[in-house]
Each structure stands twice: as C-alpha cells, then as structure tokens.
Amino acid sequence: MSVLTRRHLLRHAALSASAVPAGRLPMGTATAGVTGAAATAGCDADSEADDERRTAPEAQLGLRFPDGFGWGAATSAYQIEGAAKDDGRGESVWDTFSHTPGRVRGGDTGDVAADHYHRYVEDLDLMRDLGLGTYRFSISWPRIQADGTGTPNQRGLDFYRRLVDGLHDRGIAPMATLFHWDLPQALQDIGGWESREVAYRFADYAEAVFDALGAGVPVWLTINEPKTVVQNGYLGGHHAPGLREPAAAYLVAHHLQLAHGLAVRALRATGSGSRIGPALNLHPCYPADDTPAAAAATRLYDGYENRLYLDPIFRGAYPADVLDDLGPDDRMVRGIRDGDLGIISAPVDLLAVQYYTPIYVTADGGTITRWPTSEASWQQIFPDGMYDILTRVTRDYGDVPLTITENGLPTPDRLGTDGTVDDPGRIAFLRDHLAAVHRAIADGVPLESYHVWSLMDNFEWNEGYEQRWGLIYVDFPTQRRILKRSAHWYRRVIAQNCI
Ligand code: FCB
C-alpha cells in the first residue's frame, strides 16, 4: 500500500469497512440527488448464496461512496458536436487533419460526429435520465474565435450558454474544459504551440469565455492532456497537427503549460469564485523486471509521463532529470523564460486526473505489455493502476482536491435485433476501477468526483468512429441514441451511490 500521511491513515482507521468519508464537494454538486439516507440504502454486497447474481458484472460489491460524491460523464467538443460550419465556427487543426487523406481510419471526420450541437437538448435529457451530478464537456475555441483571435463570436458563446443553462435546469453541475485539442487552424499557421504567442492568444480566449459563461460554470479545466498533444501530435504524428518533430515537442509542452498558467491568472483576474485546474492523463510506471537498470529507466520514464506535467504546476520547477535528459540545447530548455514557472505554478483549486493504462518499462527504456488490452491496443486493463496513481499524486503533491475526468474503455458494441446494446465488459471495467477509486478514497485521497469517458460514442481521433467508448450507443447513420447495458448499470450506481 502506498504510504500516505499519518492523518489520512488515522482517518482511515476510524472508518467502517465499506463506508468512506464525505469528500469535499464540487461546487454545485449538492444538486446531484444522491444524499443521506437514500444513498445508504441498498448497498449490501450480493450474497454468496445467489451465485448467478454475484458473478454478473452488475454484482454489487457493497462499497458505498461519500455522500455528495459527484458522478459524471465526459465528452469533448470536436468528438461529439459536429456542425463544423455552423454559426461562424472556424476551422481547427482537427478539421485539417481529419480531412487529410490517410490520417484517420476510414477517412472519418468530425463534420457531423454525434450531431450534439443540434441534439444537445435530447442529450441533456439523457444525462438527467442517468442521474448525472456533473458533466464534463469542452468548449471549441474556433466556435468562439474562428481564427483564434479577436472579438468573440456571440453565436458560439450562445451555444455554450444554452448548454450550461440546460445543465443547471436539470440539476447537473457543468465542468468545462477550455482546450481539448481543437486549436484554430489559423493559429497553427503562425506556428501553433511552438509559438509562445499562442499561449497568450489562449489566455485572451479564456478571458472571453470566462466573461460570457463565468458564473454558470463552477469548475474550469484548462488544457486537456498536454502530454497527448506532445506525444501524439509532435512525436508520433498520429494526432493533429500530425508532425514528427522531436525538437519541437517539448517546447510545445512548455507553451501548453504556460497557457494553463495564464488561463488560471485570467480567471483570478475576473474575481470569479469558480474553481480551475489542469486535466492531466497520468500513467503509473512500473519496472518490467527487478533489475536496477529497469528501475532507473522507469524513474526517467515517469519523469516524461507524469512529473514533466505535475512538477511545474505543483512545485514550480521542471523535473531536473528530464531537463538533464533533454540537454541544454533543447528548444524547450532554451525556451523557458524568467517568470514562466511562476505563472505555471499559480495555485490551482483542483487537479483532474485521467487514467487509462499503466506502463511497464524495460531496462533499455522500452515498454512491454503485461495485462490484457482493450480494443485500444495501447490500453492495458489494470484497475490497481488507478489506486496507485491517485495515492501517489496525493502523497507527492499534497492535499489538492482531485477529480477523475476520464476513465473508460472501448468495447465491440453492436445494436442487437431486440434494440439493446450489451456491453458487460464496460460494466466490469468500470466496477473494478471504481473499487480501486473507493479504496483510494478510504486511504485518504481527497477525490470528489468521477467521470466516465465517455457519455456517448464519438469520434475517437485517428481511430474515427470504429472504437465505441460511450455509455450511450450512437447509431451514427440515424443519430439515434440507445442506452447501453452499462448506462443502465451506471444509473443504478448513481442512484444508490454504491457499487
Ligand atoms: C483521452 C482523450 C479523450 C479520448 C480518450 C479515449 O486521451 O482525452 O478525448 O480520446 O482518451
């Protein structure tokens, strides 16, 4: 078990076997509808006598979550909205990338996606039907500023205003991400995230969004997974902007981090009472064997996967081993200016953690696959990694409140002739990861909410529509939505506050 503070352990010792203490509530989740007595009812583990029920993925484990725990689901703009040319939306790097032949499986694009821009009312009703307490979505920068600069587009802002109002009307707390990878193409044309200027453009955009939506959004997230932009967009080249330029990659990381800090500063300048934090995909890294060389390689790997993004925000410094490894001539190392780390480390109100997979590192710095993978070949299914990463963040970075903003997997979902979609693999995955989450909370991790990736099937980047990650099945030709078996299960979890 990870070593947590004495206070946490004492608190843990005072708990009953299954109930966990109330965490700090996200603003607005008092509306979640899972409180008090209602939440405690019906949380017994399924009994051994009823073997058939006990072995079903729906089997109840008897683990109750803190009262007011925020149960949610997540999406992002380019992946669900469609309406690529509506109401003055400009082009993003993902429009360019997906329209470039050979970039996305099957030639799929986000032009229509799940047509959420036109069907958001139906989608809001489905969220209410599930009982969601919190919904994490992202705002499309090119809807707000077609070219990434200048006067904000009122029609774009109005869409998000209607969405936010619709969430409040249904008792769901909005959690909005400012940037989920859809950089205005016009900004890519002036250098994209390689350009320091783009971080400042981002702060202007953020300010426009705060001004327009501010009070309605209790929690803001700045940049979704800067690491993925670095690794997939600038090293692997299989995400927009589709480059393979190692020399640029870490400069991009720095400018994304700078943009994060500038947005935090912009929110504070508005005097807003809303909270803000980064959304980081963290990967617990383990040595593939017990040699000292594998341990050393794992340590550096962890630097590139986790500390490169956590340390500047929470410690005001980039990790020395990573900087050493990059070397003094790296564009990033040369691109850090006086004062940048002060901006990046401006205090945040929460940290959003996204967990999908562990990484096993070999002595020569390579990786191996240790656990079964999902339909996403990069994803090894390892629920204990969730516990490890949550407890590690709390141990190493202190008591910052945490939210899980993504966790899920793609499964081979098909619409049955009876009109249902059976996805037991998703239920088992979510149940096992939630058990790990429960254990982490019991061990003192200040976790306040959890969002399944994803609310609905969507455009999975370079995989197009092939991988289905949703609780809700989307029949793309008709845009009909069907709750999967996992969605029915999740509704029960939310209603009972218990797995
Ligand atoms: C995350 C992304 C999200 C989705 C999931 C599967 O890295 O943030 O948009 O693609 O992976």
Side-chain angles (χ1 to χ4, degrees):
M1 192 215 281
S2 302
V3 188
L4 289 170
T5 64
R6 187 173 155 70
R7 185 162 63 77
H8 285 142
L9 291 171
L10 288 174
R11 186 159 73 139
H12 181 207
L15 298 174
S16 73
S18 70
V20 296
R24 272 163 281 195
L25 302 187
M27 286 172 67
T29 38
T31 52
V34 277
T35 50
T40 60
C43 192
D44 297 330
D46 284 323
S47 91
E48 301 207 3
D50 190 349
D51 211 39
E52 201 181 316
R53 208 179 133 58
R54 207 167 51 90
T55 52
E58 283 91 347
Q60 200 157 285
L61 304 178
L63 302 176
R64 186 168 66 80
F65 281 73
D67 288 352
F69 187 75
W71 293 104
T75 62
S76 87
Y78 190 72
Q79 293 180 275
I80 64 166
E81 285 179 0
K85 298 202 183 304
D86 286 37
D87 294 339
R89 177 185 179 278
E91 291 200 347
S92 78
V93 292
W94 269 97
D95 295 288
T96 310
F97 188 81
S98 65
H99 281 271
T100 306
R103 290 303 210 168
V104 174
R105 186 189 290 269
D108 292 343
T109 74
D111 287 1
V112 178
D115 199 30
H116 170 75
Y117 192 80
H118 299 119
R119 294 168 195 266
Y120 73 96
V121 175
E122 179 187 352
D123 293 337
L124 286 167
D125 287 344
L126 288 169
M127 292 181 221
R128 175 174 55 195
D129 182 32
L130 287 175
L132 294 192
T134 159
Y135 172 56
R136 179 211 177 203
F137 60 98
S138 83
I139 293 175
S140 158
W141 187 349
R143 277 197 201 287
I144 309 304
Q145 292 176 315
D147 292 333
T149 184
T151 311
N153 168 22
Q154 193 57 47
R155 288 176 297 168
L157 289 169
D158 286 346
F159 169 70
Y160 295 106
R161 160 59 59 205
R162 293 194 299 274
L163 182 68
V164 165
D165 288 349
L167 288 166
H168 285 296
D169 290 348
R170 291 164 181 80
I172 302 167
M175 181 183 281
T177 310
L178 289 164
F179 178 72
H180 201 123
W181 306 346
D182 42 1
L183 184 74
Q185 179 60 43
L187 294 183
Q188 188 63 38
D189 296 342
I190 61 156
W193 291 109
E194 278 180 70
S195 161
R196 198 177 161 87
E197 175 65 16
V198 169
Y200 287 87
R201 295 280 70 79
F202 177 73
D204 290 349
Y205 149 71
E207 195 181 321
V209 173
F210 296 147
D211 284 348
L213 305 175
V217 178
V219 177
W220 295 100
L221 302 175
T222 52
I223 308 275
N224 180 70
E225 298 188 354
K227 180 171 67 184
T228 308
V229 178
V230 173
Q231 295 187 349
N232 295 2
Y234 284 83
L235 290 174
H238 53 288
H239 276 192
L243 301 173
R244 287 196 177 164
E245 291 188 11
Y250 295 98
L251 183 64
V252 163
H254 179 59
H255 291 156
L256 284 161
Q257 296 283 64
L258 184 63
H260 154 84
L262 290 168
V264 172
R265 194 160 83 174
L267 181 72
R268 305 298 187 217
T270 68
S272 158
S274 298
R275 300 190 301 156
I276 191 163
L280 302 180
N281 53 329
L282 300 177
H283 290 82
C285 297
Y286 307 95
D289 58 54
D290 55 14
T291 59
T298 303
R299 169 91 190 142
L300 183 61
Y301 216 101
D302 175 73
Y304 278 102
E305 292 291 329
N306 302 313
R307 288 180 284 115
L308 182 60
Y309 303 92
L310 288 162
D311 283 15
I313 294 175
F314 293 102
R315 296 183 172 166
Y318 282 110
D321 56 344
V322 175
L323 292 185
D324 281 354
D325 191 64
L326 288 169
D329 295 332
D330 185 87
R331 286 178 68 195
M332 176 209 181
V333 178
R334 287 188 285 118
I336 303 169
R337 297 196 189 162
D338 282 354
D340 284 1
L341 281 151
I343 294 170
I344 296 169
S345 61
V348 295
D349 303 301
L350 78 172
L351 166 64
V353 174
Q354 320 201 145
Y355 171 68
Y356 288 101
T357 189
I359 296 178
Y360 290 86
V361 184
T362 55
D364 61 1
T367 60
I368 59 157
T369 300
R370 173 147 299 170
W371 305 102
T373 54
S374 74
E375 284 194 325
S377 56
W378 52 266
Q379 182 178 34
Q380 301 178 55
I381 300 176
F382 183 56
D384 283 351
M386 174 71 94
Y387 175 86
D388 289 347
I389 201 68
L390 292 173
T391 50
R392 181 266 178 101
V393 164
T394 297
R395 184 184 60 226
D396 289 356
Y397 297 93
D399 258 354
V400 60
L402 303 182
T403 170
I404 293 164
T405 38
E406 293 187 22
N407 177 231
L409 87 171
T411 52
D413 307 328
R414 297 288 169 264
L415 181 55
T417 47
D418 62 353
T420 65
V421 180
D422 197 19
D423 60 342
R426 177 165 292 101
I427 299 174
F429 176 99
L430 296 177
R431 179 202 58 198
D432 293 347
H433 283 74
L434 282 167
V437 166
H438 186 275
R439 200 152 50 91
I441 298 173
D443 285 349
V445 169
L447 182 81
E448 54 187 42
S449 55
Y450 171 90
H451 302 76
V452 176
W453 183 270
S454 174
L455 175 69
M456 63 177 98
D457 294 339
N458 58 49
F459 175 81
E460 176 49 27
W461 309 113
N462 57 311
E463 298 293 343
Y465 296 97
E466 184 67 20
Q467 291 181 0
R468 292 182 174 273
W469 290 78
L471 292 165
I472 299 172
Y473 184 88
V474 177
D475 181 43
F476 291 105
T478 63
Q479 292 293 348
R480 199 153 69 88
R481 275 81 162 125
I482 298 116
L483 300 195
K484 299 179 190 176
R485 180 169 150 191
S486 59
H488 292 287
W489 170 81
Y490 196 48
R491 175 168 44 202
R492 202 270 298 150
V493 169
I494 295 171
Q496 297 185 345
N497 200 30
C498 157
I499 56 169

